[in-house]
Amino acid sequence: MNNKLRTTNYKQQIFPKGFLWGSATSAHQVEGNNLNNWSIWEEKTANNKRLAAIKKEWPEHILKAYPSPLHEENYISGKAVDHYHRFKEDFDLARRLSHNAHRFSIEWSRIEPEEGKFNKREVQHYREVIDALKERAIEPFVTLYHWTIPVWFEQSGAWLHNDAPKYFERFVEKIVDFYPDVTFWITINEPMVYASNSFLKGIWPPQSKSLLRYIVVLRNLRRTHEKAYDIIHKKLPKAQVGIVKNVVYFEPHGRNPWNYLLALFANYFWNFQFLNSIQKKQDFIGVNYYFHSRVRWSFSQNENKKTSDMGWEIYPEGLYYILKSLRAYKKPLFITENGIADARDYSREQFIKDNILQIQKAMKESVDVRGYFYWSLLDNFEWDKGFWPRFGLVGIDYKTLKRNIRPSARVYKKIIEARG
Ligand code: FCB
């Protein structure tokens, strides 16, 4: 497969030949047996989450499944889906589903469990992961920070620490030396989602609400990205380095000019401000698209009743508008995440088709999209929600960890084979 970023003729009706098709995961959500800031937080908060869930109403199919939001073990990642030991089997499935790219993350807490001490066995593990992908002709996209950090780093103040970029830099330097054959690098997953959930809403670890801390963390994440970008390029001149940004399609509610202004503001603040600040240090932009928001003073969402199991609105058209607005950066775009929690697999097929159609529409209007990664290859541990949301192309039976390809995954396979 051609690794290099290419220019393509988007006039054609089908997707270009080198287009990358695949799915994404992150270490903590699938591997199992991680010891990091999240795993410690899960143990402390699981019971309260269960108690809070008892007070809510849940659809029957969610309550009947195992684990459900009412089970304490739902909130503890534990052995997750044991991808750590079953990655070859999982990549076989990806290959069978005709994927030619895969996004995953390297768990910092495994590689550097104690400050400055690098674990050779874990380094070897990710060597095998990357080799396993390459042997199956699947292009690896490596994320370096997908929200979980070593305990020692958390204890030293993590991203609030002025020296945070230096700690991360040391890790990245090693990683790049270990895996120089990787072309596509993602420094940070959704910096603003992490910072706002942890420091504005206070719902994720370290649950420390403060506007000032939010600002400091974002500033340090930006510095971290810039440093990581430079190191990767210094060592691997041909690497392609980018950040993954969660983008929301903000649409003014009705014709009220005030709502229009609010939407403009939200759009700038959430979608563009961070990207603008790192413009010179990104070779591509990773786009995670899940949300549409009809903006009015009350910031209400979800007026349209089509939602996923998690209550997230299904609105593929938004992806088209977002892609169009990102064209201004003149960078290649990858959809690094786009997916739906749908335990019964009722809406996933249509969801995938509709989103791909919107990408195709944007590409016909000269938006330079190079790849699509469905979230996720497997059902997995959805952060503070736990295991009950089912995003996988491949379902997991959490009692046996048996993998089960969902019908929608086969439709996605056909789309890949037909190139659109
Ligand atoms: C994204 C995260 C990813 C997953 C999906 C559902 O914001 O990057 O890890 O949880 O949401």
Side-chain angles (χ1 to χ4, degrees), residues 145-167:
Y145 168 54
H146 200 125
W147 299 345
T148 46
I149 51 178
V151 177
W152 62 264
F153 182 62
E154 172 87 336
Q155 284 166 351
S156 77
W159 305 110
L160 284 164
H161 202 299
N162 215 23
D163 284 339
K166 279 196 209 148
Y167 291 119

Side-chain angles (χ1 to χ4, degrees), residues 351-416:
F351 176 95
I352 293 174
K353 283 183 185 163
D354 290 346
N355 277 282
I356 289 174
L357 222 64
Q358 296 300 324
I359 297 170
Q360 201 159 13
K361 188 171 161 200
M363 286 170 75
K364 278 189 195 143
E365 294 173 36
S366 318
V367 181
D368 186 2
V369 186
R370 308 277 174 100
Y372 176 80
F373 295 81
Y374 175 82
W375 180 272
S376 177
L377 176 62
L378 308 160
D379 283 345
N380 63 56
F381 182 74
E382 177 54 23
W383 307 112
D384 57 326
K385 307 287 181 299
F387 287 109
W388 73 259
R390 305 281 187 149
F391 278 92
L393 292 170
V394 176
I396 302 280
D397 174 337
Y398 283 107
K399 288 193 178 136
T400 60
L401 293 184
K402 203 174 161 298
R403 276 74 173 141
N404 174 28
I405 295 182
R406 294 203 164 103
S408 55
R410 301 194 196 276
V411 175
Y412 180 36
K413 173 185 163 81
K414 280 195 191 142
I415 295 175
I416 297 173

Side-chain angles (χ1 to χ4, degrees), residues 25-26 29 103 146-147 189-190 193 197 204 244 246 288 290-291 310 312 337-341 375-376 380-383 389 391:
T25 60
S26 90
Q29 294 177 275
R103 177 180 170 222
H146 200 125
W147 299 345
N189 180 65
E190 300 187 348
V193 171
N197 280 338
W204 284 3
V244 158
N246 172 290
N288 286 4
Y290 292 96
F291 300 116
M310 291 175 84
W312 298 1
E337 281 181 38
N338 173 240
I340 180 170
W375 180 272
S376 177
N380 63 56
F381 182 74
E382 177 54 23
W383 307 112
F391 278 92

